[in-house]
Amino acid sequence: MTQNKLTITRLFSFFKIAITGKEQEFTSGSIRRAVFMLSVPMVLEMMMESIFFLVDAYYVSSLGANAIATVGLTESVLTLVYAVAIGLSMGVTAIVARRVGEKDIKGASQTAVQAILLGVVLSILISIPGILYPKEILALMGGEPDLVEEGYGFTQILLGGNVTIMLLFLINAVFRGAGDASVAMRVLIFSNVLNIILDPIFIFGFGPVPAFGVQGAAIATTIGRGSAVIFQLLILFYGWSKIKVTFKDLVFKAQLMFTLIKVSLGGIGQFIIGTSSWVFLMRIMAEFGSEVLAGYTIAIRVLMFTLMPSWGMSNAAATLVGQNLGAAKPERAEQSVWKTGKYNAYFMLFVSVFYLVFAEVILKIFSDDLQVIEYGALSLRVIAAGYVFYAYGMVITQSFNGAGDTKTPTVINFFCFWVFQLPFAYLAALVMNWGVVGVLWAITFAEVLIAVIGIIWFRKGKWKEVKV
């Protein structure tokens, strides 16, 4: 009894240290402790990101199947924005982590500035078609005319304000690479609190604020993320983290920008491949009607709630790999990956069992439509069946990225998503008449394949030789 009490007290003490970010040395000492200290704030950070999706889904679900489907179609297009943001963030994390491992904090700060400049330029280019052609985008994704008219404002605001998404990801990538995971976590907590408060106000109306419907969810989310970006910039300029940016750093550095783009291109490529496959899968799902699409959309948002924490652990592995390679400790980097993968698998196994048992109960929280519940529960169960494989697949992929080897995961994604998943989903769902189940099994099988190929490639060890 006393021993258990001591263990709980010690665990709580470690948890407190991880949350406050007081420990930032990850290239020496216990690997298990390093994984824990980085994973806790990164898991919480990713959970905060997934709460954006769940809060929107909860409030929007009361507006009907068309509103939910609008969110699903828009988010599937936004995944291309996420692909660019996350791809760039991989390069940022890899370079910043490597510089921090080398004790070159100035170089890490300069990388942060180039990342912000690049993010602003790219977001402007993306926002133009989002503002001008939201109806056409929804129609292209298979939205029915009434859905397009009801929901194009949601699409217009989120795509037009994508700079908040871009910078939120990129600046948090700087914090993660530096080992300041607790700072990134606090930023997203702040953003989520705002989103939770503003969502019902803008969706349903309150006082002088009119009811904007589904468009209100986009307004609230954009304000929440925008406020978080301002918070991030204050942290960088006032030096409240390991990385500090001064006004003299705000200059274009061609060589550093070239290095950042070079390392990030593979990350952008792998996520464009992965996320564009989700767009096509959503397009196939649209063939089966708004209720099926709504159920699938809710299921994906629920799944993201647990995939994000898993991704948080994967990000911890990326930071550990980058910093330990910078400190010339490749074997410690490899050990960190296998331990993180094991912990991630334990977590995902528990979650998959939970989804298999309580799928309908979860869907009933978001909808009372029987068809939406039926297909949403089916989506949860089939996709969760491969969760343990997802766990290792995500950790291995992020470890390659943390080393600066973004090319390898790009090749794996191309083969597993474009060569295997999309043809299988189309043939199974529409040619062989498996329907929705065909799409769902395509998702699960592809992720299993990514894990198997990734582990084989990782064991070869060529990622240890990458220079950034």
Side-chain angles (χ1 to χ4, degrees):
M1 186 71 177
T2 305
Q3 184 64 38
N4 289 339
K5 187 176 180 180
L6 286 172
T7 302
I8 293 171
T9 303
R10 188 180 180 190
L11 188 62
F12 179 76
S13 176
F14 284 168
F15 183 83
K16 186 177 179 180
I17 294 171
I19 293 296
T20 56
K22 290 181 179 178
E23 184 165 327
Q24 297 183 339
E25 174 54 53
F26 304 114
T27 57
S28 61
S30 168
I31 293 176
R32 180 184 297 178
R33 181 185 175 99
V35 171
F36 183 86
M37 291 299 170
L38 273 174
S39 291
V40 167
M42 287 187 181
V43 166
L44 292 175
E45 177 199 348
M46 292 297 106
M47 287 183 72
M48 292 300 104
E49 182 62 39
S50 63
I51 285 174
F52 270 115
F53 299 112
L54 284 180
V55 169
D56 285 351
Y58 177 78
Y59 288 118
V60 169
S61 63
S62 64
L63 301 176
N66 266 357
I68 302 172
T70 296
V71 172
L73 293 178
T74 302
E75 290 290 352
S76 66
V77 176
L78 266 177
T79 53
L80 298 177
V81 177
Y82 291 129
V84 176
I86 294 170
L88 281 174
S89 71
M90 288 176 188
V92 173
T93 297
I95 296 173
V96 169
R98 192 70 69 96
R99 296 294 87 82
V100 169
E102 295 166 351
K103 310 300 182 186
D104 181 11
I105 303 301
K106 183 178 179 181
S109 300
Q110 291 173 344
T111 300
V113 172
Q114 301 310 302
I116 292 170
L117 293 176
L118 185 58
V120 170
V121 171
L122 289 174
S123 64
I124 291 172
L125 295 176
I126 294 169
S127 68
I128 294 172
I131 293 171
L132 297 178
Y133 306 109
K135 292 183 179 180
E136 289 79 359
I137 290 171
L138 282 178
L140 184 65
M141 288 301 299
E144 297 168 1
D146 58 333
L147 181 150
V148 172
E149 284 301 318
E150 181 181 336
Y152 79 90
F154 179 88
T155 306
Q156 189 174 50
I157 291 171
L158 280 187
L159 287 177
N162 79 90
V163 66
T164 61
I165 299 171
M166 191 76 71
L167 292 185
L168 191 61
F169 272 94
L170 290 180
I171 300 175
N172 269 357
V174 172
F175 295 143
R176 286 196 299 270
D180 285 330
S182 63
V183 175
M185 174 198 69
R186 287 195 287 270
V187 166
L188 280 176
I189 289 175
F190 168 72
S191 182
N192 264 291
V193 169
L194 271 181
N195 188 51
I196 290 170
I197 294 171
L198 295 176
D199 241 350
I201 293 175
F202 283 98
I203 292 174
F204 305 113
F206 182 80
V209 180
F212 287 96
V214 66
Q215 185 179 351
I219 295 171
T221 299
T222 301
I223 292 174
R225 284 185 170 133
S227 301
V229 169
I230 294 172
F231 185 26
Q232 288 175 317
L233 293 173
L234 289 173
I235 292 171
L236 283 177
F237 278 97
Y238 281 94
W240 298 335
S241 74
K242 185 178 291 185
I243 306 297
K244 182 177 181 179
V245 173
T246 62
F247 285 103
K248 67 180 181 180
D249 293 322
L250 300 178
V251 293
F252 175 76
K253 293 183 177 292
Q255 184 58 45
L256 186 53
M257 180 68 80
F258 176 76
T259 301
L260 176 60
I261 293 173
K262 182 181 176 182
V263 176
S264 299
L265 277 177
I268 294 172
Q270 68 188 260
F271 270 84
I272 284 179
I273 290 168
T275 54
S276 62
S277 72
W278 280 97
V279 172
F280 285 114
L281 292 176
M282 185 68 76
R283 182 65 184 84
I284 295 173
M285 280 292 191
E287 294 292 318
F288 302 105
S290 290
E291 286 75 19
V292 172
L293 191 60
Y296 175 70
T297 298
I298 293 172
I300 291 300
R301 287 185 165 231
V302 171
L303 288 163
M304 287 295 288
F305 185 73
T306 42
L307 283 176
M308 284 292 188
S310 181
W311 198 0
M313 278 187 264
S314 303
N315 284 337
T319 297
L320 287 169
V321 167
Q323 288 197 9
N324 281 290
L325 288 180
K329 297 180 179 180
E331 298 310 314
R332 179 180 172 86
E334 183 173 359
Q335 291 173 28
S336 300
V337 172
W338 293 123
K339 288 195 175 184
T340 307
K342 180 175 70 174
Y343 303 147
N344 204 10
Y346 289 156
F347 168 73
M348 293 292 268
L349 177 61
F350 170 79
V351 172
S352 64
V353 172
F354 182 81
Y355 283 156
L356 289 172
V357 176
F358 297 107
E360 282 89 358
V361 175
I362 295 169
L363 263 292
K364 286 177 182 177
I365 297 172
F366 298 92
S367 177
D368 55 5
D369 186 304
L370 293 180
Q371 272 196 298
V372 172
I373 294 170
E374 177 188 352
Y375 287 103
L378 177 65
S379 299
L380 272 182
R381 288 196 170 106
V382 175
I383 297 175
Y387 252 25
V388 172
F389 290 93
Y390 296 0
Y392 273 102
M394 280 188 284
V395 169
I396 294 295
T397 297
Q398 285 298 84
S399 299
F400 282 127
N401 291 324
D405 178 14
T406 54
K407 181 180 177 181
T408 295
T410 304
V411 174
I412 294 174
N413 277 10
F414 176 80
F415 175 77
C416 295
F417 289 136
W418 283 7
V419 176
F420 173 76
Q421 185 188 69
L422 292 181
F424 183 91
Y426 179 83
L427 290 172
L430 302 177
V431 177
M432 299 170 64
N433 294 320
W434 289 12
V436 174
V437 175
V439 178
L440 299 177
W441 279 118
I443 294 170
T444 300
F445 291 155
E447 296 293 345
V448 170
L449 199 57
I450 286 174
V452 172
I453 296 174
I455 289 171
I456 293 172
W457 219 319
F458 184 81
R459 287 185 179 277
K460 293 182 179 181
K462 293 183 179 179
W463 53 274
K464 298 175 184 177
E465 303 166 9
V466 176
K467 304 294 182 184
V468 295

